[in-house]
Amino acid sequence: DGGITQSPKYLFRKEGQNVTLSCEQNLNHDAMYWYRQDPGQGLRLIYYSQIVNDFQKGDIAEGYSVSREKKESFPLTVTSAQKNPTAFYLCASLPSSTDTQYFGPGTRLTVL
Amino acid sequence: SQQGEEDPQALSIQEGENATMNCSYKTSINNLQWYRQNSGRGLVHLILIRSNEREKHSGRLRVTLDTSKKSSSLLITASRAADTASYFCATPASGTYKYIFGTGTRLKVLA
Protein backbone atom coordinates (compact mmCIF):
# COMPACT_ATOMS: atom_id res chain seq x y z
CA ASP A 1 0.00 0.00 0.00
CA GLY A 2 1.22 3.47 -0.82
CA GLY A 3 0.63 6.20 1.68
CA ILE A 4 1.78 8.36 4.50
CA THR A 5 1.84 7.07 8.04
CA GLN A 6 2.22 8.74 11.39
CA SER A 7 2.98 7.17 14.73
CA PRO A 8 1.98 6.98 17.43
CA LYS A 9 -1.69 7.88 17.09
CA TYR A 10 -1.80 9.13 20.68
CA LEU A 11 1.15 10.40 22.69
CA PHE A 12 1.37 11.62 26.24
CA ARG A 13 4.21 13.73 27.47
CA LYS A 14 5.21 14.97 30.85
CA GLU A 15 6.23 18.57 31.15
CA GLY A 16 9.93 19.04 30.44
CA GLN A 17 10.24 16.01 28.17
CA ASN A 18 11.14 15.97 24.51
CA VAL A 19 9.07 13.70 22.30
CA THR A 20 9.45 12.69 18.67
CA LEU A 21 6.58 12.16 16.26
CA SER A 22 7.17 9.89 13.32
CA CYS A 23 6.12 10.55 9.73
CA GLU A 24 6.91 8.11 6.91
CA GLN A 25 5.82 8.09 3.28
CA ASN A 26 6.39 5.61 0.46
CA LEU A 27 4.91 7.84 -2.23
CA ASN A 28 8.31 9.03 -3.44
CA HIS A 29 7.31 12.62 -2.76
CA ASP A 30 10.06 15.18 -2.42
CA ALA A 31 8.34 17.70 -0.14
CA MET A 32 7.04 17.02 3.35
CA TYR A 33 5.25 19.19 5.90
CA TRP A 34 4.33 19.33 9.57
CA TYR A 35 1.22 21.17 10.72
CA ARG A 36 -0.28 21.80 14.10
CA GLN A 37 -4.05 21.90 14.59
CA ASP A 38 -5.71 23.15 17.75
CA PRO A 39 -9.36 22.35 18.56
CA GLY A 40 -11.74 23.99 16.13
CA GLN A 41 -8.89 25.68 14.33
CA GLY A 42 -7.21 25.52 10.97
CA LEU A 43 -3.73 24.20 10.24
CA ARG A 44 -0.60 26.11 11.14
CA LEU A 45 2.69 25.25 9.46
CA ILE A 46 5.54 24.21 11.76
CA TYR A 47 8.27 23.09 9.34
CA TYR A 48 8.54 21.94 5.77
CA SER A 49 11.17 20.24 3.68
CA GLN A 50 11.52 20.40 -0.08
CA ILE A 51 14.32 17.87 -0.42
CA VAL A 52 16.49 15.59 1.67
CA ASN A 53 18.83 17.36 4.11
CA ASP A 54 16.98 20.65 3.71
CA PHE A 55 14.10 22.14 5.69
CA GLN A 56 12.62 25.53 6.45
CA LYS A 57 10.76 27.01 9.40
CA GLY A 58 7.08 27.61 9.06
CA ASP A 59 4.96 30.07 10.98
CA ILE A 60 5.23 28.45 14.42
CA ALA A 61 8.63 26.68 14.50
CA GLU A 62 9.66 27.77 17.99
CA GLY A 63 9.97 24.81 20.34
CA TYR A 64 10.06 22.27 17.51
CA SER A 65 12.85 20.64 15.52
CA VAL A 66 12.94 18.35 12.49
CA SER A 67 15.37 16.33 10.40
CA ARG A 68 15.21 15.05 6.85
CA GLU A 69 17.94 12.45 6.48
CA LYS A 70 15.88 10.24 4.18
CA LYS A 71 13.32 11.06 1.53
CA GLU A 72 10.78 8.80 3.19
CA SER A 73 11.04 10.17 6.70
CA PHE A 74 10.44 13.56 8.33
CA PRO A 75 10.33 13.21 12.14
CA LEU A 76 9.21 16.09 14.34
CA THR A 77 10.61 16.61 17.83
CA VAL A 78 8.56 18.61 20.27
CA THR A 79 11.01 20.02 22.76
CA SER A 80 10.52 21.21 26.31
CA ALA A 81 10.81 24.75 24.95
CA GLN A 82 7.36 24.40 23.39
CA LYS A 83 5.21 25.72 26.21
CA ASN A 84 1.83 24.61 24.96
CA PRO A 85 2.36 21.46 22.89
CA THR A 86 -1.03 19.81 23.43
CA ALA A 87 -2.49 19.62 19.92
CA PHE A 88 -3.18 17.44 16.91
CA TYR A 89 -0.14 17.13 14.63
CA LEU A 90 -0.50 16.41 10.94
CA CYS A 91 2.19 15.40 8.49
CA ALA A 92 1.77 15.80 4.75
CA SER A 93 3.73 15.12 1.59
CA LEU A 94 3.59 16.73 -1.80
CA PRO A 95 4.49 15.30 -5.21
CA SER A 96 6.57 17.51 -7.46
CA SER A 97 3.95 17.47 -10.20
CA THR A 98 0.92 18.87 -8.36
CA ASP A 99 -0.22 21.16 -5.55
CA THR A 100 -2.20 18.39 -3.89
CA GLN A 101 -0.94 17.41 -0.44
CA TYR A 102 -1.37 13.94 0.98
CA PHE A 103 -1.97 13.83 4.71
CA GLY A 104 -1.20 11.26 7.34
CA PRO A 105 -3.79 10.27 9.97
CA GLY A 106 -2.31 12.55 12.63
CA THR A 107 -0.85 12.24 16.12
CA ARG A 108 -2.66 13.65 19.11
CA LEU A 109 -0.17 14.88 21.69
CA THR A 110 -1.25 15.57 25.24
CA VAL A 111 0.92 17.07 27.94
CA LEU A 112 0.18 15.71 31.38
CA SER B 1 -0.79 34.02 9.53
CA GLN B 2 -3.76 32.33 7.91
CA GLN B 3 -4.75 33.74 4.57
CA GLY B 4 -7.92 31.80 4.03
CA GLU B 5 -11.05 32.52 5.93
CA GLU B 6 -14.03 30.26 5.56
CA ASP B 7 -17.57 31.11 6.37
CA PRO B 8 -19.72 30.06 7.92
CA GLN B 9 -17.64 28.61 10.74
CA ALA B 10 -20.33 26.01 11.31
CA LEU B 11 -23.28 24.81 9.26
CA SER B 12 -26.03 22.38 10.16
CA ILE B 13 -28.42 21.09 7.49
CA GLN B 14 -30.83 18.25 6.85
CA GLU B 15 -29.89 15.31 4.70
CA GLY B 16 -30.75 15.98 1.07
CA GLU B 17 -30.21 19.73 1.31
CA ASN B 18 -27.35 21.56 -0.36
CA ALA B 19 -24.45 22.93 1.66
CA THR B 20 -22.50 25.99 0.59
CA MET B 21 -19.34 27.22 2.22
CA ASN B 22 -17.14 30.11 1.24
CA CYS B 23 -13.46 30.92 1.36
CA SER B 24 -11.79 34.30 1.03
CA TYR B 25 -8.09 34.88 0.51
CA LYS B 26 -5.84 37.90 0.40
CA THR B 27 -3.11 37.54 -2.21
CA SER B 28 -2.93 36.47 -5.82
CA ILE B 29 -3.03 32.72 -6.33
CA ASN B 30 -2.52 30.26 -9.15
CA ASN B 31 -4.85 27.70 -7.66
CA LEU B 32 -7.11 27.01 -4.70
CA GLN B 33 -7.87 23.67 -3.13
CA TRP B 34 -10.55 22.26 -0.90
CA TYR B 35 -9.92 19.55 1.65
CA ARG B 36 -12.15 17.56 3.94
CA GLN B 37 -11.34 16.40 7.46
CA ASN B 38 -13.36 13.87 9.37
CA SER B 39 -13.18 14.26 13.13
CA GLY B 40 -9.79 13.24 14.49
CA ARG B 41 -8.43 12.29 11.06
CA GLY B 42 -6.09 13.68 8.46
CA LEU B 43 -7.19 15.88 5.59
CA VAL B 44 -8.30 14.48 2.28
CA HIS B 45 -8.03 16.45 -0.94
CA LEU B 46 -11.36 17.06 -2.67
CA ILE B 47 -10.80 19.36 -5.61
CA LEU B 48 -8.37 21.90 -7.06
CA ILE B 49 -9.42 24.87 -9.16
CA ARG B 50 -6.89 26.91 -11.12
CA SER B 51 -6.88 30.67 -11.33
CA ASN B 52 -8.00 30.60 -14.96
CA GLU B 53 -11.03 28.46 -14.13
CA ARG B 54 -14.32 29.85 -12.86
CA GLU B 55 -16.12 26.65 -12.01
CA LYS B 56 -15.29 23.00 -11.55
CA HIS B 57 -17.37 19.92 -10.78
CA SER B 58 -16.55 16.61 -9.19
CA GLY B 59 -19.48 14.32 -8.43
CA ARG B 60 -21.72 16.16 -5.97
CA LEU B 61 -19.13 18.91 -5.49
CA ARG B 62 -19.14 22.20 -7.32
CA VAL B 63 -16.41 24.76 -6.75
CA THR B 64 -16.38 28.32 -8.04
CA LEU B 65 -13.55 30.81 -8.03
CA ASP B 66 -13.82 34.57 -8.36
CA THR B 67 -10.32 36.00 -8.53
CA SER B 68 -11.61 39.58 -8.69
CA LYS B 69 -13.23 39.12 -5.30
CA LYS B 70 -10.54 36.75 -4.04
CA SER B 71 -13.13 34.22 -3.02
CA SER B 72 -14.19 30.65 -3.68
CA SER B 73 -17.21 28.61 -2.78
CA LEU B 74 -17.76 24.91 -2.31
CA LEU B 75 -21.23 23.53 -2.92
CA ILE B 76 -22.16 20.01 -1.84
CA THR B 77 -25.42 18.95 -3.41
CA ALA B 78 -27.88 16.42 -1.99
CA SER B 79 -25.91 16.16 1.22
CA ARG B 80 -25.63 12.93 3.17
CA ALA B 81 -24.92 12.22 6.81
CA ALA B 82 -21.52 10.92 5.69
CA ASP B 83 -20.65 14.43 4.47
CA THR B 84 -20.42 15.53 8.11
CA ALA B 85 -16.87 16.85 8.43
CA SER B 86 -14.79 20.01 8.45
CA TYR B 87 -13.93 21.58 5.12
CA PHE B 88 -10.85 23.70 4.51
CA CYS B 89 -9.64 25.78 1.63
CA ALA B 90 -5.91 26.05 0.93
CA THR B 91 -3.82 28.24 -1.30
CA PRO B 92 -0.13 28.04 -2.21
CA ALA B 93 1.94 30.95 -0.92
CA SER B 94 3.49 32.64 -3.91
CA GLY B 95 7.10 31.74 -4.61
CA THR B 96 7.34 29.15 -1.85
CA TYR B 97 6.44 25.56 -1.14
CA LYS B 98 4.15 26.72 1.66
CA TYR B 99 0.40 26.32 1.68
CA ILE B 100 -1.98 28.45 3.68
CA PHE B 101 -5.07 26.84 5.11
CA GLY B 102 -8.25 28.55 6.12
CA THR B 103 -9.94 28.20 9.46
CA GLY B 104 -12.48 25.69 8.17
CA THR B 105 -16.24 25.20 8.06
CA ARG B 106 -17.71 22.49 10.30
CA LEU B 107 -20.58 20.87 8.44
CA LYS B 108 -23.11 18.69 10.20
CA VAL B 109 -25.66 16.83 8.11
CA LEU B 110 -28.62 15.57 10.09
CA ALA B 111 -30.22 12.29 9.05
Side-chain angles (χ1 to χ4, degrees):
Chain A
D1 286 338
I4 180 165
T5 59
Q6 292 184 241
S7 62
K9 186 171 182 178
Y10 298 97
L11 185 58
F12 299 90
R13 189 194 94 169
K14 293 181 180 179
E15 285 193 21
Q17 284 184 336
N18 292 355
V19 290
T20 297
L21 283 60
S22 168
C23 178
E24 304 278 333
Q25 54 100 358
N26 60 4
L27 300 168
N28 200 34
H29 293 169
D30 286 315
M32 296 186 74
Y33 300 77
W34 274 106
Y35 295 93
R36 170 180 172 141
Q37 186 177 32
D38 292 284
Q41 302 292 314
L43 278 64
R44 292 186 289 168
L45 180 64
I46 305 172
Y47 269 97
Y48 65 105
S49 168
Q50 299 174 32
I51 56 173
V52 174
N53 293 322
D54 184 59
F55 48 82
Q56 286 81 40
K57 293 182 179 179
D59 300 317
I60 56 165
E62 186 175 350
Y64 300 97
S65 66
V66 293
S67 63
R68 187 84 187 279
E69 296 176 2
K70 298 187 298 181
K71 189 175 186 177
E72 301 80 20
S73 179
F74 190 39
L76 173 74
T77 296
V78 184
T79 75
S80 57
Q82 171 49 239
K83 297 306 177 188
N84 186 23
T86 294
F88 189 52
Y89 290 87
L90 287 161
C91 179
S93 66
L94 179 74
S96 58
S97 56
T98 78
D99 281 310
T100 299
Q101 292 186 64
Y102 291 72
F103 282 82
T107 292
R108 187 166 301 281
L109 172 63
T110 302
V111 173
L112 302 174
Chain B
S1 61
Q2 293 290 344
Q3 166 166 253
E5 296 287 337
E6 281 100 334
D7 82 272
Q9 290 188 345
L11 180 60
S12 186
I13 60 174
Q14 295 292 326
E15 205 167 30
E17 294 180 339
N18 294 344
T20 300
M21 51 205 87
N22 305 293
C23 168
S24 61
Y25 57 92
K26 297 177 182 173
T27 63
S28 296
I29 59 171
N30 56 31
N31 70 71
L32 183 144
Q33 303 161 51
W34 285 90
Y35 288 81
R36 166 194 170 126
Q37 183 183 32
N38 284 36
S39 181
R41 303 287 185 92
L43 277 69
V44 175
H45 180 259
L46 293 176
I47 195 165
L48 180 151
I49 186 165
R50 302 196 182 282
S51 59
N52 61 354
E53 298 175 309
R54 290 298 168 257
E55 187 171 310
K56 197 164 183 178
H57 296 254
S58 176
R60 292 185 297 112
L61 305 180
R62 173 181 163 238
V63 170
T64 61
L65 180 64
D66 187 335
T67 53
S68 67
K69 295 182 179 178
K70 290 186 168 60
S71 69
S72 174
S73 68
L74 171 67
L75 168 68
I76 303 173
T77 61
S79 62
R80 305 165 181 168
D83 293 329
T84 294
S86 292
Y87 294 82
F88 296 90
C89 65
T91 55
S94 178
T96 75
Y97 274 70
K98 294 169 64 173
Y99 292 79
I100 301 172
F101 284 79
T103 51
T105 291
R106 294 187 304 281
L107 173 65
K108 186 170 186 178
V109 181
L110 304 170

